Amino acid sequence: MEERFFAALITCFFISFGVLLGGSLFGSLSAYITGEPPVSEMMVSAQRLRIWAIVAAIGGTFDAISTFERGIYDGSTMDLFKQIMLIISAMGGVKAGVLIISWITQGDVT
Protein backbone atom coordinates (compact mmCIF):
# COMPACT_ATOMS: atom_id res chain seq x y z
CA MET A 1 0.00 0.00 0.00
CA GLU A 2 2.79 2.43 0.87
CA GLU A 3 4.64 1.67 -2.37
CA ARG A 4 1.63 2.84 -4.36
CA PHE A 5 1.48 6.04 -2.36
CA PHE A 6 5.12 6.90 -3.08
CA ALA A 7 4.55 6.08 -6.74
CA ALA A 8 1.54 8.43 -6.69
CA LEU A 9 3.70 11.17 -5.15
CA ILE A 10 6.27 10.85 -7.93
CA THR A 11 3.56 10.68 -10.57
CA CYS A 12 1.87 13.84 -9.25
CA PHE A 13 5.19 15.67 -9.27
CA PHE A 14 5.97 14.83 -12.87
CA ILE A 15 2.43 15.35 -14.17
CA SER A 16 2.32 18.88 -12.81
CA PHE A 17 5.88 19.47 -14.03
CA GLY A 18 4.98 18.26 -17.52
CA VAL A 19 1.74 20.22 -17.76
CA LEU A 20 3.47 23.45 -16.82
CA LEU A 21 6.55 22.95 -18.96
CA GLY A 22 4.70 21.61 -21.99
CA GLY A 23 1.96 24.21 -21.84
CA SER A 24 4.45 27.03 -21.59
CA LEU A 25 6.57 25.73 -24.44
CA PHE A 26 3.57 25.27 -26.74
CA GLY A 27 2.24 28.67 -25.69
CA SER A 28 5.52 30.25 -26.73
CA LEU A 29 5.40 28.34 -30.02
CA SER A 30 1.96 29.76 -30.74
CA ALA A 31 3.22 33.25 -29.92
CA TYR A 32 6.12 32.77 -32.34
CA ILE A 33 3.74 31.65 -35.11
CA THR A 34 1.48 34.67 -34.57
CA GLY A 35 4.40 37.13 -34.49
CA GLU A 36 4.37 37.94 -30.77
CA PRO A 37 7.38 37.69 -28.44
CA PRO A 38 7.69 34.01 -27.45
CA VAL A 39 9.82 34.53 -24.33
CA SER A 40 7.34 36.83 -22.62
CA GLU A 41 4.49 34.54 -23.64
CA MET A 42 6.33 31.62 -22.07
CA MET A 43 6.57 33.52 -18.80
CA VAL A 44 2.90 34.55 -18.91
CA SER A 45 1.81 31.00 -19.77
CA ALA A 46 3.77 29.62 -16.84
CA GLN A 47 2.02 32.02 -14.50
CA ARG A 48 -1.41 31.11 -15.84
CA LEU A 49 -0.89 27.35 -15.85
CA ARG A 50 0.22 26.95 -12.24
CA ILE A 51 -3.13 26.07 -10.67
CA TRP A 52 -4.22 23.98 -13.65
CA ALA A 53 -1.07 21.90 -13.44
CA ILE A 54 -1.83 21.14 -9.79
CA VAL A 55 -5.46 20.27 -10.56
CA ALA A 56 -4.41 18.01 -13.42
CA ALA A 57 -1.85 16.25 -11.22
CA ILE A 58 -4.23 15.44 -8.37
CA GLY A 59 -6.88 14.18 -10.77
CA GLY A 60 -9.48 16.90 -10.64
CA THR A 61 -10.99 18.91 -7.84
CA PHE A 62 -13.99 16.75 -6.94
CA ASP A 63 -11.91 13.76 -5.86
CA ALA A 64 -9.70 15.95 -3.70
CA ILE A 65 -12.70 17.59 -2.05
CA SER A 66 -14.36 14.25 -1.31
CA THR A 67 -11.11 12.99 0.22
CA PHE A 68 -10.91 16.07 2.43
CA GLU A 69 -14.54 15.56 3.43
CA ARG A 70 -13.90 11.93 4.31
CA GLY A 71 -10.83 12.91 6.29
CA ILE A 72 -12.60 15.60 8.29
CA TYR A 73 -16.07 14.10 8.86
CA ASP A 74 -15.27 10.39 9.03
CA GLY A 75 -12.07 10.79 11.00
CA SER A 76 -9.90 9.27 8.30
CA THR A 77 -6.85 11.37 9.01
CA MET A 78 -4.52 9.14 7.00
CA ASP A 79 -6.49 9.84 3.79
CA LEU A 80 -6.40 13.53 4.60
CA PHE A 81 -2.64 13.43 5.16
CA LYS A 82 -2.07 11.53 1.91
CA GLN A 83 -4.14 14.01 -0.06
CA ILE A 84 -2.22 16.93 1.42
CA MET A 85 1.05 15.21 0.54
CA LEU A 86 -0.14 14.69 -3.06
CA ILE A 87 -1.00 18.38 -3.35
CA ILE A 88 2.40 19.36 -1.93
CA SER A 89 4.09 17.02 -4.41
CA ALA A 90 2.16 18.60 -7.28
CA MET A 91 3.13 22.05 -6.02
CA GLY A 92 6.76 20.93 -6.01
CA GLY A 93 6.44 19.89 -9.66
CA VAL A 94 4.99 23.28 -10.52
CA LYS A 95 7.81 25.04 -8.68
CA ALA A 96 10.42 22.97 -10.52
CA GLY A 97 8.76 23.78 -13.85
CA VAL A 98 8.63 27.48 -13.06
CA LEU A 99 12.29 27.39 -12.06
CA ILE A 100 13.29 25.79 -15.37
CA ILE A 101 11.22 28.32 -17.34
CA SER A 102 12.84 31.08 -15.33
CA TRP A 103 16.24 29.71 -16.29
CA ILE A 104 15.26 29.45 -19.96
CA THR A 105 13.84 32.95 -20.19
CA GLN A 106 16.41 34.57 -17.90
CA GLY A 107 13.52 36.31 -16.24
CA ASP A 108 11.81 36.36 -12.90
CA VAL A 109 8.60 34.33 -13.02
CA THR A 110 6.69 35.21 -9.87
Side-chain angles (χ1 to χ4, degrees):
M1 186 70 160
E2 293 300 318
E3 293 174 7
R4 289 187 197 162
F5 175 66
F6 289 120
L9 280 176
I10 293 169
T11 302
C12 277
F13 179 88
F14 282 107
I15 287 174
S16 63
F17 178 78
V19 167
L20 187 82
L21 202 61
S24 296
L25 289 174
F26 278 111
S28 69
L29 178 66
S30 69
Y32 176 74
I33 291 171
T34 59
E36 305 216 3
V39 174
S40 63
E41 181 62 33
M42 185 182 292
M43 291 171 50
V44 169
S45 296
Q47 291 174 354
R48 290 182 184 165
L49 285 174
R50 285 179 170 182
I51 189 69
W52 296 111
I54 295 170
V55 169
I58 62 173
T61 57
F62 183 73
D63 187 39
I65 291 172
S66 66
T67 303
F68 277 125
E69 180 184 16
R70 187 173 55 239
I72 292 171
Y73 294 129
D74 295 341
S76 178
T77 56
M78 189 54 97
D79 288 338
L80 186 62
F81 176 73
K82 286 181 180 180
Q83 192 66 33
I84 289 171
M85 291 304 294
L86 288 173
I87 292 171
I88 290 172
S89 175
M91 291 172 78
V94 166
K95 184 63 176 175
V98 166
L99 184 63
I100 287 178
I101 294 202
S102 168
W103 287 343
I104 291 171
T105 60
Q106 297 292 315
D108 186 24
V109 180
T110 57

